[in-house]
Structures are given as C-alpha cells and as structure tokens.
Short mmCIF file of all heavy atoms in Angstrom, two decimals:
data_model
loop_
_atom_site.label_atom_id
_atom_site.label_comp_id
_atom_site.label_asym_id
_atom_site.label_seq_id
_atom_site.Cartn_x
_atom_site.Cartn_y
_atom_site.Cartn_z
N GLY L 1 -3.91 -7.43 -13.46
CA GLY L 1 -3.90 -6.73 -12.20
C GLY L 1 -4.53 -5.36 -12.31
O GLY L 1 -4.89 -4.91 -13.39
N SER L 2 -4.63 -4.70 -11.18
CA SER L 2 -5.19 -3.35 -11.11
C SER L 2 -4.17 -2.40 -10.50
O SER L 2 -3.37 -2.80 -9.66
CB SER L 2 -6.44 -3.34 -10.22
OG SER L 2 -7.41 -4.21 -10.72
N ALA L 3 -4.25 -1.16 -10.92
CA ALA L 3 -3.42 -0.11 -10.36
C ALA L 3 -4.33 0.89 -9.66
O ALA L 3 -5.27 1.41 -10.25
CB ALA L 3 -2.63 0.58 -11.46
N ILE L 4 -4.06 1.15 -8.38
CA ILE L 4 -4.89 2.04 -7.58
C ILE L 4 -3.99 3.12 -6.98
O ILE L 4 -3.02 2.81 -6.29
CB ILE L 4 -5.62 1.26 -6.47
CG1 ILE L 4 -6.54 0.23 -7.13
CG2 ILE L 4 -6.41 2.20 -5.58
CD1 ILE L 4 -6.95 -0.89 -6.24
N VAL L 5 -4.33 4.38 -7.24
CA VAL L 5 -3.55 5.50 -6.73
C VAL L 5 -4.12 5.94 -5.38
O VAL L 5 -5.33 6.12 -5.24
CB VAL L 5 -3.57 6.68 -7.73
CG1 VAL L 5 -2.82 7.88 -7.17
CG2 VAL L 5 -2.97 6.26 -9.07
N LYS L 6 -3.24 6.09 -4.40
CA LYS L 6 -3.65 6.52 -3.07
C LYS L 6 -2.75 7.65 -2.59
O LYS L 6 -1.54 7.62 -2.80
CB LYS L 6 -3.53 5.38 -2.05
CG LYS L 6 -4.43 4.19 -2.29
CD LYS L 6 -5.89 4.49 -2.08
CE LYS L 6 -6.24 4.61 -0.63
NZ LYS L 6 -7.67 4.85 -0.40
N SER L 7 -3.37 8.64 -1.94
CA SER L 7 -2.58 9.72 -1.32
C SER L 7 -3.07 9.99 0.10
O SER L 7 -2.64 10.95 0.74
CB SER L 7 -2.66 10.99 -2.16
OG SER L 7 -4.00 11.41 -2.32
N ALA L 8 -3.97 9.12 0.58
CA ALA L 8 -4.48 9.25 1.95
C ALA L 8 -4.76 7.85 2.50
O ALA L 8 -4.94 6.90 1.73
CB ALA L 8 -5.76 10.08 1.97
N SER L 9 -4.83 7.75 3.80
CA SER L 9 -5.13 6.47 4.44
C SER L 9 -6.50 5.97 4.01
O SER L 9 -7.40 6.76 3.73
CB SER L 9 -5.12 6.64 5.96
OG SER L 9 -3.85 7.03 6.40
N GLY L 10 -6.64 4.64 3.96
CA GLY L 10 -7.94 4.08 3.64
C GLY L 10 -7.84 2.70 3.04
O GLY L 10 -6.78 2.09 2.97
N ASN L 11 -8.99 2.23 2.58
CA ASN L 11 -9.09 0.91 1.99
C ASN L 11 -8.63 0.94 0.54
O ASN L 11 -8.94 1.86 -0.20
CB ASN L 11 -10.54 0.43 2.09
CG ASN L 11 -10.73 -0.93 1.49
OD1 ASN L 11 -11.15 -1.03 0.35
ND2 ASN L 11 -10.39 -1.95 2.23
N VAL L 12 -7.86 -0.07 0.15
CA VAL L 12 -7.43 -0.22 -1.24
C VAL L 12 -8.32 -1.25 -1.93
O VAL L 12 -8.82 -1.03 -3.03
CB VAL L 12 -5.95 -0.64 -1.33
CG1 VAL L 12 -5.53 -0.87 -2.77
CG2 VAL L 12 -5.05 0.40 -0.66
N LYS L 13 -8.55 -2.39 -1.28
CA LYS L 13 -9.42 -3.44 -1.81
C LYS L 13 -10.07 -4.16 -0.62
O LYS L 13 -9.36 -4.63 0.26
CB LYS L 13 -8.63 -4.41 -2.66
CG LYS L 13 -9.51 -5.44 -3.34
CD LYS L 13 -8.92 -5.92 -4.64
CE LYS L 13 -9.89 -6.89 -5.28
NZ LYS L 13 -9.99 -6.73 -6.69
N PRO L 14 -11.42 -4.27 -0.61
CA PRO L 14 -12.11 -4.82 0.56
C PRO L 14 -12.28 -6.33 0.57
O PRO L 14 -13.03 -6.85 1.39
CB PRO L 14 -13.46 -4.12 0.50
CG PRO L 14 -13.70 -3.95 -0.96
CD PRO L 14 -12.33 -3.68 -1.56
N ILE L 15 -11.60 -7.04 -0.32
CA ILE L 15 -11.70 -8.51 -0.35
C ILE L 15 -10.30 -9.10 -0.51
O ILE L 15 -9.35 -8.39 -0.83
CB ILE L 15 -12.62 -8.99 -1.50
CG1 ILE L 15 -12.09 -8.49 -2.85
CG2 ILE L 15 -14.06 -8.55 -1.27
CD1 ILE L 15 -12.83 -9.05 -4.05
N ALA L 16 -10.20 -10.40 -0.32
CA ALA L 16 -8.91 -11.08 -0.47
C ALA L 16 -8.30 -10.74 -1.82
O ALA L 16 -9.00 -10.64 -2.83
CB ALA L 16 -9.10 -12.58 -0.33
N CYS L 17 -6.98 -10.52 -1.83
CA CYS L 17 -6.30 -10.15 -3.07
C CYS L 17 -4.81 -10.45 -2.94
O CYS L 17 -4.32 -10.84 -1.88
CB CYS L 17 -6.53 -8.68 -3.39
SG CYS L 17 -5.91 -7.52 -2.14
N GLN L 18 -4.12 -10.26 -4.03
CA GLN L 18 -2.67 -10.41 -4.07
C GLN L 18 -2.07 -9.04 -4.34
O GLN L 18 -2.46 -8.37 -5.30
CB GLN L 18 -2.25 -11.35 -5.21
CG GLN L 18 -2.84 -12.73 -5.13
CD GLN L 18 -2.22 -13.54 -4.02
OE1 GLN L 18 -1.02 -13.51 -3.81
NE2 GLN L 18 -3.05 -14.26 -3.29
N MET L 19 -1.15 -8.62 -3.49
CA MET L 19 -0.44 -7.36 -3.74
C MET L 19 0.87 -7.69 -4.44
O MET L 19 1.58 -8.62 -4.05
CB MET L 19 -0.17 -6.63 -2.43
CG MET L 19 0.57 -5.34 -2.63
SD MET L 19 0.72 -4.44 -1.10
CE MET L 19 1.95 -3.24 -1.57
N LEU L 20 1.17 -6.93 -5.48
CA LEU L 20 2.42 -7.12 -6.22
C LEU L 20 3.50 -6.15 -5.74
O LEU L 20 4.67 -6.49 -5.69
CB LEU L 20 2.17 -6.93 -7.71
CG LEU L 20 1.07 -7.83 -8.30
CD1 LEU L 20 0.78 -7.44 -9.73
CD2 LEU L 20 1.46 -9.28 -8.19
N GLY L 21 3.09 -4.93 -5.42
CA GLY L 21 4.03 -3.92 -4.98
C GLY L 21 3.42 -2.54 -5.15
O GLY L 21 2.24 -2.40 -5.43
N PHE L 22 4.25 -1.50 -5.00
CA PHE L 22 3.75 -0.14 -5.19
C PHE L 22 4.85 0.75 -5.74
O PHE L 22 6.04 0.50 -5.56
CB PHE L 22 3.18 0.43 -3.88
CG PHE L 22 4.18 0.63 -2.78
CD1 PHE L 22 4.82 1.84 -2.60
CD2 PHE L 22 4.46 -0.40 -1.88
CE1 PHE L 22 5.75 2.03 -1.57
CE2 PHE L 22 5.37 -0.23 -0.85
CZ PHE L 22 6.02 0.99 -0.70
N PHE L 23 4.42 1.79 -6.45
CA PHE L 23 5.32 2.79 -7.02
C PHE L 23 5.08 4.10 -6.28
O PHE L 23 3.94 4.53 -6.12
CB PHE L 23 5.05 2.96 -8.52
CG PHE L 23 5.97 3.94 -9.18
CD1 PHE L 23 7.24 3.55 -9.57
CD2 PHE L 23 5.57 5.24 -9.40
CE1 PHE L 23 8.11 4.46 -10.17
CE2 PHE L 23 6.43 6.16 -10.00
CZ PHE L 23 7.69 5.76 -10.39
N CYS L 24 6.16 4.72 -5.85
CA CYS L 24 6.05 6.01 -5.17
C CYS L 24 6.09 7.12 -6.23
O CYS L 24 7.12 7.36 -6.84
CB CYS L 24 7.18 6.18 -4.16
SG CYS L 24 7.13 7.77 -3.30
N ASN L 25 4.93 7.76 -6.47
CA ASN L 25 4.84 8.83 -7.46
C ASN L 25 5.49 10.11 -6.96
O ASN L 25 6.21 10.78 -7.70
CB ASN L 25 3.37 9.09 -7.80
CG ASN L 25 2.70 7.85 -8.35
OD1 ASN L 25 3.18 7.24 -9.28
ND2 ASN L 25 1.58 7.48 -7.75
N SER L 26 5.21 10.46 -5.70
CA SER L 26 5.79 11.67 -5.11
C SER L 26 5.69 11.56 -3.60
O SER L 26 4.84 10.85 -3.06
CB SER L 26 5.05 12.91 -5.60
OG SER L 26 3.70 12.88 -5.21
N THR L 27 6.57 12.29 -2.93
CA THR L 27 6.56 12.26 -1.47
C THR L 27 7.27 13.48 -0.90
O THR L 27 8.15 14.07 -1.54
CB THR L 27 7.23 10.98 -0.92
OG1 THR L 27 7.10 10.97 0.51
CG2 THR L 27 8.68 10.88 -1.30
N SER L 28 6.86 13.86 0.29
CA SER L 28 7.55 14.87 1.09
C SER L 28 7.53 14.33 2.51
O SER L 28 6.58 14.56 3.26
CB SER L 28 6.84 16.22 0.99
OG SER L 28 7.51 17.18 1.79
N SER L 29 8.53 13.53 2.84
CA SER L 29 8.62 12.86 4.13
C SER L 29 7.45 11.93 4.40
O SER L 29 7.08 11.69 5.55
CB SER L 29 8.74 13.87 5.28
OG SER L 29 9.87 14.70 5.09
N GLY L 30 6.83 11.39 3.34
CA GLY L 30 5.69 10.51 3.49
C GLY L 30 6.07 9.11 3.95
O GLY L 30 7.17 8.63 3.67
N THR L 31 5.14 8.46 4.64
CA THR L 31 5.32 7.07 5.07
C THR L 31 4.04 6.29 4.78
O THR L 31 2.96 6.88 4.65
CB THR L 31 5.64 6.96 6.57
OG1 THR L 31 4.55 7.47 7.33
CG2 THR L 31 6.93 7.70 6.92
N ILE L 32 4.19 4.96 4.70
CA ILE L 32 3.04 4.09 4.47
C ILE L 32 3.19 2.82 5.29
O ILE L 32 4.31 2.33 5.48
CB ILE L 32 2.89 3.77 2.96
CG1 ILE L 32 1.61 2.99 2.67
CG2 ILE L 32 4.11 3.04 2.43
CD1 ILE L 32 1.27 2.88 1.20
N ILE L 33 2.07 2.34 5.82
CA ILE L 33 2.01 1.04 6.49
C ILE L 33 0.90 0.26 5.80
O ILE L 33 -0.18 0.81 5.53
CB ILE L 33 1.71 1.17 7.99
CG1 ILE L 33 2.75 2.05 8.69
CG2 ILE L 33 1.68 -0.22 8.65
CD1 ILE L 33 2.42 2.37 10.14
N LEU L 34 1.15 -1.01 5.49
CA LEU L 34 0.21 -1.87 4.79
C LEU L 34 -0.46 -2.82 5.77
O LEU L 34 0.20 -3.37 6.66
CB LEU L 34 0.95 -2.66 3.70
CG LEU L 34 1.80 -1.81 2.75
CD1 LEU L 34 2.75 -2.70 1.96
CD2 LEU L 34 0.91 -1.01 1.82
N TYR L 35 -1.77 -3.04 5.58
CA TYR L 35 -2.55 -3.88 6.48
C TYR L 35 -3.37 -4.91 5.71
O TYR L 35 -3.91 -4.60 4.64
CB TYR L 35 -3.51 -3.04 7.33
CG TYR L 35 -2.80 -2.15 8.31
CD1 TYR L 35 -2.43 -0.86 7.95
CD2 TYR L 35 -2.49 -2.60 9.59
CE1 TYR L 35 -1.76 -0.04 8.85
CE2 TYR L 35 -1.82 -1.79 10.48
CZ TYR L 35 -1.46 -0.51 10.11
OH TYR L 35 -0.78 0.30 11.00
N ASP L 36 -3.49 -6.10 6.26
CA ASP L 36 -4.40 -7.12 5.75
C ASP L 36 -5.73 -6.88 6.44
O ASP L 36 -5.98 -7.35 7.54
CB ASP L 36 -3.86 -8.53 6.06
CG ASP L 36 -4.67 -9.63 5.39
OD1 ASP L 36 -5.77 -9.35 4.88
OD2 ASP L 36 -4.19 -10.77 5.40
N ASP L 37 -6.59 -6.05 5.80
CA ASP L 37 -7.83 -5.63 6.42
C ASP L 37 -8.83 -5.24 5.34
O ASP L 37 -8.47 -4.57 4.39
CB ASP L 37 -7.57 -4.45 7.36
CG ASP L 37 -8.72 -4.21 8.29
OD1 ASP L 37 -9.76 -3.69 7.82
OD2 ASP L 37 -8.61 -4.53 9.48
N ALA L 38 -10.08 -5.61 5.51
CA ALA L 38 -11.12 -5.30 4.53
C ALA L 38 -11.64 -3.87 4.66
O ALA L 38 -12.34 -3.38 3.79
CB ALA L 38 -12.28 -6.28 4.68
N SER L 39 -11.27 -3.18 5.73
CA SER L 39 -11.77 -1.83 5.96
C SER L 39 -10.59 -0.90 6.24
O SER L 39 -9.67 -0.83 5.47
CB SER L 39 -12.77 -1.85 7.11
OG SER L 39 -13.33 -0.58 7.30
N THR L 40 -10.63 -0.22 7.36
CA THR L 40 -9.54 0.70 7.71
C THR L 40 -8.91 0.31 9.05
O THR L 40 -8.33 1.15 9.73
CB THR L 40 -10.05 2.15 7.78
OG1 THR L 40 -11.16 2.21 8.69
CG2 THR L 40 -10.49 2.63 6.42
N GLY L 41 -9.03 -0.96 9.41
CA GLY L 41 -8.45 -1.44 10.67
C GLY L 41 -6.93 -1.41 10.63
O GLY L 41 -6.31 -1.44 9.57
N THR L 42 -6.35 -1.35 11.80
CA THR L 42 -4.88 -1.28 11.89
C THR L 42 -4.32 -2.35 12.83
O THR L 42 -3.29 -2.14 13.47
CB THR L 42 -4.44 0.13 12.37
OG1 THR L 42 -5.07 0.43 13.61
CG2 THR L 42 -4.79 1.19 11.35
N THR L 43 -5.00 -3.51 12.90
CA THR L 43 -4.51 -4.56 13.78
C THR L 43 -3.58 -5.55 13.09
O THR L 43 -2.72 -6.10 13.74
CB THR L 43 -5.67 -5.35 14.41
OG1 THR L 43 -6.84 -5.15 13.68
CG2 THR L 43 -5.88 -5.02 15.83
N ASN L 44 -3.76 -5.78 11.82
CA ASN L 44 -3.00 -6.83 11.15
C ASN L 44 -2.02 -6.24 10.13
O ASN L 44 -2.20 -6.39 8.91
CB ASN L 44 -3.96 -7.82 10.48
CG ASN L 44 -3.28 -9.11 10.11
OD1 ASN L 44 -2.18 -9.39 10.56
ND2 ASN L 44 -3.92 -9.89 9.28
N ALA L 45 -0.98 -5.60 10.63
CA ALA L 45 0.03 -4.99 9.74
C ALA L 45 0.82 -6.07 9.02
O ALA L 45 1.17 -7.09 9.60
CB ALA L 45 0.97 -4.11 10.55
N ILE L 46 1.08 -5.84 7.73
CA ILE L 46 1.95 -6.74 6.97
C ILE L 46 3.28 -6.07 6.66
O ILE L 46 4.12 -6.64 5.98
CB ILE L 46 1.27 -7.26 5.69
CG1 ILE L 46 0.94 -6.11 4.74
CG2 ILE L 46 0.03 -8.06 6.02
CD1 ILE L 46 0.59 -6.56 3.33
N SER L 47 3.45 -4.85 7.14
CA SER L 47 4.72 -4.13 6.98
C SER L 47 4.93 -3.26 8.20
O SER L 47 4.00 -3.00 8.96
CB SER L 47 4.71 -3.25 5.72
OG SER L 47 3.95 -2.07 5.94
N GLY L 48 6.14 -2.80 8.34
CA GLY L 48 6.41 -1.74 9.31
C GLY L 48 6.19 -0.42 8.60
O GLY L 48 5.60 -0.38 7.52
N THR L 49 6.68 0.64 9.17
CA THR L 49 6.58 1.95 8.53
C THR L 49 7.61 2.03 7.41
O THR L 49 8.81 1.86 7.64
CB THR L 49 6.82 3.08 9.55
OG1 THR L 49 5.84 2.96 10.59
CG2 THR L 49 6.71 4.44 8.89
N ILE L 50 7.14 2.26 6.19
CA ILE L 50 8.01 2.35 5.02
C ILE L 50 8.10 3.82 4.61
O ILE L 50 7.08 4.50 4.50
CB ILE L 50 7.44 1.52 3.85
CG1 ILE L 50 7.31 0.05 4.25
CG2 ILE L 50 8.31 1.66 2.60
CD1 ILE L 50 6.48 -0.78 3.27
N THR L 51 9.31 4.31 4.40
CA THR L 51 9.54 5.67 3.93
C THR L 51 10.08 5.58 2.50
O THR L 51 11.29 5.47 2.28
CB THR L 51 10.54 6.41 4.84
OG1 THR L 51 10.10 6.32 6.19
CG2 THR L 51 10.67 7.88 4.45
N PRO L 52 9.18 5.58 1.51
CA PRO L 52 9.62 5.38 0.13
C PRO L 52 10.23 6.63 -0.51
O PRO L 52 9.98 7.75 -0.06
CB PRO L 52 8.34 4.98 -0.59
CG PRO L 52 7.25 5.63 0.19
CD PRO L 52 7.73 5.69 1.61
N SER L 53 11.01 6.40 -1.55
CA SER L 53 11.60 7.49 -2.34
C SER L 53 10.81 7.66 -3.63
O SER L 53 10.41 6.66 -4.26
CB SER L 53 13.06 7.16 -2.69
OG SER L 53 13.83 7.04 -1.52
N ALA L 54 10.60 8.89 -4.04
CA ALA L 54 9.86 9.18 -5.26
C ALA L 54 10.55 8.54 -6.47
O ALA L 54 11.78 8.49 -6.55
CB ALA L 54 9.72 10.68 -5.46
N GLY L 55 9.73 8.03 -7.39
CA GLY L 55 10.25 7.45 -8.61
C GLY L 55 10.76 6.03 -8.45
O GLY L 55 11.46 5.52 -9.32
N THR L 56 10.39 5.38 -7.35
CA THR L 56 10.90 4.03 -7.06
C THR L 56 9.74 3.03 -6.97
O THR L 56 8.72 3.32 -6.34
CB THR L 56 11.69 4.03 -5.74
OG1 THR L 56 12.73 5.00 -5.82
CG2 THR L 56 12.30 2.67 -5.45
N PHE L 57 9.93 1.85 -7.59
CA PHE L 57 8.98 0.76 -7.46
C PHE L 57 9.45 -0.16 -6.34
O PHE L 57 10.61 -0.54 -6.29
CB PHE L 57 8.84 -0.04 -8.76
CG PHE L 57 7.91 -1.22 -8.61
CD1 PHE L 57 6.54 -1.03 -8.57
CD2 PHE L 57 8.40 -2.50 -8.49
CE1 PHE L 57 5.68 -2.11 -8.42
CE2 PHE L 57 7.55 -3.60 -8.34
CZ PHE L 57 6.18 -3.40 -8.30
N TYR L 58 8.54 -0.52 -5.46
CA TYR L 58 8.84 -1.41 -4.34
C TYR L 58 8.09 -2.72 -4.56
O TYR L 58 6.86 -2.74 -4.48
CB TYR L 58 8.42 -0.77 -3.01
CG TYR L 58 9.26 0.43 -2.69
CD1 TYR L 58 8.93 1.68 -3.19
CD2 TYR L 58 10.41 0.31 -1.91
CE1 TYR L 58 9.73 2.79 -2.92
CE2 TYR L 58 11.20 1.41 -1.64
CZ TYR L 58 10.85 2.64 -2.15
OH TYR L 58 11.65 3.73 -1.88
N ARG L 59 8.82 -3.76 -4.86
CA ARG L 59 8.21 -5.08 -5.02
C ARG L 59 7.81 -5.58 -3.63
O ARG L 59 8.64 -5.61 -2.72
CB ARG L 59 9.23 -6.03 -5.67
CG ARG L 59 8.66 -7.36 -6.03
CD ARG L 59 9.68 -8.19 -6.84
NE ARG L 59 9.09 -9.45 -7.25
CZ ARG L 59 9.08 -10.54 -6.50
NH1 ARG L 59 9.64 -10.55 -5.31
NH2 ARG L 59 8.51 -11.65 -6.94
N PHE L 60 6.53 -5.93 -3.47
CA PHE L 60 6.03 -6.35 -2.17
C PHE L 60 4.95 -7.40 -2.38
O PHE L 60 3.76 -7.15 -2.20
CB PHE L 60 5.46 -5.14 -1.41
CG PHE L 60 5.34 -5.35 0.07
CD1 PHE L 60 6.22 -4.74 0.94
CD2 PHE L 60 4.36 -6.16 0.61
CE1 PHE L 60 6.11 -4.92 2.31
CE2 PHE L 60 4.24 -6.35 1.97
CZ PHE L 60 5.12 -5.72 2.83
N PRO L 61 5.35 -8.61 -2.80
CA PRO L 61 4.34 -9.65 -3.02
C PRO L 61 3.74 -10.12 -1.70
O PRO L 61 4.46 -10.44 -0.77
CB PRO L 61 5.12 -10.76 -3.72
CG PRO L 61 6.55 -10.53 -3.35
CD PRO L 61 6.71 -9.07 -3.08
N ALA L 62 2.41 -10.10 -1.64
CA ALA L 62 1.73 -10.51 -0.42
C ALA L 62 0.34 -11.05 -0.75
O ALA L 62 -0.36 -10.48 -1.57
CB ALA L 62 1.61 -9.34 0.55
N SER L 63 -0.04 -12.15 -0.08
CA SER L 63 -1.39 -12.69 -0.18
C SER L 63 -2.19 -12.16 0.99
O SER L 63 -1.85 -12.42 2.14
CB SER L 63 -1.35 -14.22 -0.13
OG SER L 63 -0.71 -14.74 -1.26
N LEU L 64 -3.23 -11.43 0.70
CA LEU L 64 -4.03 -10.79 1.73
C LEU L 64 -5.36 -11.52 1.85
O LEU L 64 -6.10 -11.62 0.88
CB LEU L 64 -4.23 -9.32 1.39
CG LEU L 64 -2.89 -8.59 1.17
CD1 LEU L 64 -3.09 -7.32 0.39
CD2 LEU L 64 -2.22 -8.33 2.48
N THR L 65 -5.66 -12.03 3.03
CA THR L 65 -6.87 -12.84 3.20
C THR L 65 -8.13 -12.00 3.41
O THR L 65 -9.22 -12.43 3.06
CB THR L 65 -6.70 -13.81 4.39
OG1 THR L 65 -6.42 -13.06 5.57
CG2 THR L 65 -5.57 -14.79 4.12
N ALA L 66 -7.99 -10.82 3.97
CA ALA L 66 -9.16 -9.98 4.25
C ALA L 66 -9.32 -8.85 3.23
O ALA L 66 -10.43 -8.43 2.92
CB ALA L 66 -9.06 -9.39 5.66
N GLY L 67 -8.24 -8.33 2.74
CA GLY L 67 -8.24 -7.17 1.85
C GLY L 67 -6.99 -6.36 2.11
O GLY L 67 -6.09 -6.79 2.84
N LEU L 68 -6.92 -5.17 1.54
CA LEU L 68 -5.74 -4.32 1.70
C LEU L 68 -6.15 -2.93 2.13
O LEU L 68 -6.97 -2.27 1.49
CB LEU L 68 -4.96 -4.24 0.38
CG LEU L 68 -3.74 -3.33 0.36
CD1 LEU L 68 -2.70 -3.75 1.40
CD2 LEU L 68 -3.11 -3.29 -1.03
N GLY L 69 -5.57 -2.50 3.24
CA GLY L 69 -5.75 -1.15 3.74
C GLY L 69 -4.39 -0.51 3.95
O GLY L 69 -3.39 -1.21 4.13
N VAL L 70 -4.34 0.83 3.88
CA VAL L 70 -3.07 1.53 4.06
C VAL L 70 -3.26 2.70 5.02
O VAL L 70 -4.34 3.29 5.10
CB VAL L 70 -2.49 2.06 2.72
CG1 VAL L 70 -2.16 0.92 1.79
CG2 VAL L 70 -3.41 3.05 2.05
N VAL L 71 -2.19 3.01 5.73
CA VAL L 71 -2.13 4.24 6.53
C VAL L 71 -0.99 5.05 5.95
O VAL L 71 0.17 4.59 5.90
CB VAL L 71 -1.91 3.95 8.03
CG1 VAL L 71 -1.61 5.25 8.78
CG2 VAL L 71 -3.13 3.26 8.61
N ILE L 72 -1.32 6.24 5.47
CA ILE L 72 -0.34 7.14 4.87
C ILE L 72 -0.21 8.35 5.77
O ILE L 72 -1.21 8.93 6.20
CB ILE L 72 -0.79 7.56 3.45
CG1 ILE L 72 -0.71 6.35 2.51
CG2 ILE L 72 0.06 8.71 2.93
CD1 ILE L 72 -1.22 6.59 1.11
N ALA L 73 1.04 8.73 6.05
CA ALA L 73 1.31 9.90 6.87
C ALA L 73 2.11 10.91 6.06
O ALA L 73 2.86 10.53 5.15
CB ALA L 73 2.08 9.52 8.13
N ASN L 74 1.96 12.17 6.39
CA ASN L 74 2.62 13.28 5.71
C ASN L 74 2.15 13.31 4.25
O ASN L 74 1.02 12.98 3.96
CB ASN L 74 4.14 13.21 5.85
CG ASN L 74 4.55 13.24 7.32
OD1 ASN L 74 4.02 14.01 8.10
ND2 ASN L 74 5.47 12.37 7.70
N THR L 75 3.00 13.69 3.32
CA THR L 75 2.60 13.82 1.92
C THR L 75 3.20 12.67 1.13
O THR L 75 4.41 12.55 1.02
CB THR L 75 3.08 15.17 1.33
OG1 THR L 75 2.57 16.22 2.16
CG2 THR L 75 2.59 15.34 -0.08
N LEU L 76 2.32 11.81 0.58
CA LEU L 76 2.76 10.65 -0.17
C LEU L 76 1.70 10.30 -1.19
O LEU L 76 0.50 10.27 -0.89
CB LEU L 76 2.98 9.46 0.77
CG LEU L 76 3.40 8.13 0.13
CD1 LEU L 76 4.77 8.24 -0.51
CD2 LEU L 76 3.39 7.03 1.16
N ASN L 77 2.13 10.05 -2.43
CA ASN L 77 1.24 9.58 -3.49
C ASN L 77 1.84 8.33 -4.07
O ASN L 77 2.99 8.35 -4.54
CB ASN L 77 1.09 10.68 -4.56
CG ASN L 77 0.13 10.26 -5.66
OD1 ASN L 77 0.49 9.49 -6.54
ND2 ASN L 77 -1.09 10.77 -5.59
N VAL L 78 1.10 7.22 -3.99
CA VAL L 78 1.60 5.93 -4.46
C VAL L 78 0.59 5.27 -5.40
O VAL L 78 -0.61 5.51 -5.30
CB VAL L 78 1.91 4.95 -3.30
CG1 VAL L 78 3.04 5.46 -2.44
CG2 VAL L 78 0.69 4.70 -2.45
N THR L 79 1.10 4.45 -6.31
CA THR L 79 0.25 3.59 -7.12
C THR L 79 0.50 2.17 -6.63
O THR L 79 1.63 1.69 -6.67
CB THR L 79 0.60 3.71 -8.62
OG1 THR L 79 0.43 5.08 -9.02
CG2 THR L 79 -0.32 2.82 -9.45
N ILE L 80 -0.57 1.53 -6.16
CA ILE L 80 -0.49 0.18 -5.60
C ILE L 80 -0.99 -0.81 -6.64
O ILE L 80 -2.06 -0.60 -7.24
CB ILE L 80 -1.30 0.08 -4.30
CG1 ILE L 80 -0.75 1.08 -3.28
CG2 ILE L 80 -1.26 -1.34 -3.75
CD1 ILE L 80 -1.61 1.27 -2.05
N PHE L 81 -0.22 -1.86 -6.87
CA PHE L 81 -0.57 -2.87 -7.87
C PHE L 81 -1.05 -4.13 -7.17
O PHE L 81 -0.33 -4.71 -6.35
CB PHE L 81 0.65 -3.18 -8.76
CG PHE L 81 1.10 -1.97 -9.53
CD1 PHE L 81 2.07 -1.13 -9.03
CD2 PHE L 81 0.52 -1.66 -10.76
CE1 PHE L 81 2.48 0.00 -9.73
CE2 PHE L 81 0.91 -0.54 -11.46
CZ PHE L 81 1.90 0.31 -10.95
N ILE L 82 -2.30 -4.53 -7.50
CA ILE L 82 -2.90 -5.72 -6.90
C ILE L 82 -3.54 -6.57 -7.99
O ILE L 82 -3.75 -6.12 -9.11
CB ILE L 82 -3.97 -5.35 -5.85
CG1 ILE L 82 -5.07 -4.50 -6.48
CG2 ILE L 82 -3.36 -4.69 -4.65
CD1 ILE L 82 -6.23 -4.24 -5.57
N GLN L 83 -3.79 -7.83 -7.64
CA GLN L 83 -4.58 -8.69 -8.54
C GLN L 83 -5.49 -9.56 -7.72
O GLN L 83 -5.39 -9.65 -6.54
CB GLN L 83 -3.69 -9.51 -9.44
CG GLN L 83 -2.71 -10.39 -8.74
CD GLN L 83 -1.83 -11.14 -9.74
OE1 GLN L 83 -1.88 -10.90 -10.93
NE2 GLN L 83 -1.02 -12.03 -9.26
#
C-alpha cells in the first residue's frame, strides 16, 4: 500500500483504488469528508463529516471506483493509507 499525507482538500489518488483507513497526525477542530472521485468533485461522498482525534487510526476499508478525493476543513493533517 501507499501512505499519502494530506493537510488540505484535494485529490489523493486519481484512479480506482482501495482505501484502508487514515491516521490523524494533528488537528485543531479539523474535519474530513471522503469522496469516490478522480478529481476534486464532491458529488459522491463515501463518508459524512468526520471529526478525528489526533493520534488515532481510523479503519475505513472502501473500494473506490473513480479514485479518492478529500475535503478538509479547519486545521487537520492526516496520513491516508491506500492500495
């Protein structure tokens, strides 16, 4: 698998992939929404708004047909694990 660090909204992987989960490195009231999207679209959400706690791994197995995009609000740094 691959580990990708994100601290802003955007594309994580632009092709079909498997998401394993994510680790919250740090946050200050940060939130994240996950999307099955090859770009930065926000039509096909695979999660609601998640407010993660720093130092926590969130298991989130998902098969993404288009790719993986995220919307991050406030201050949040996460490592997303995909394969």
Side-chain angles (χ1 to χ4, degrees):
S2 301
I4 299 160
V5 177
K6 296 292 285 182
S7 58
S9 298
N11 180 262
V12 177
K13 186 151 183 140
I15 59 173
C17 61
Q18 302 288 318
M19 179 174 166
L20 305 173
F22 65 93
F23 182 81
C24 179
N25 301 308
S26 62
T27 184
S28 179
S29 302
T31 62
I32 186 169
I33 303 173
L34 308 166
Y35 293 90
D36 187 348
D37 195 286
S39 184
T40 55
T42 56
T43 18
N44 196 14
I46 62 166
S47 76
T49 301
I50 301 168
T51 307
S53 298
T56 304
F57 177 75
Y58 293 85
R59 187 173 183 274
F60 199 106
S63 293
L64 305 161
T65 58
L68 177 60
V70 296
V71 170
I72 291 175
N74 301 317
T75 304
L76 178 65
N77 182 282
V78 295
T79 301
I80 300 169
F81 297 92
I82 59 173
Q83 57 182 7

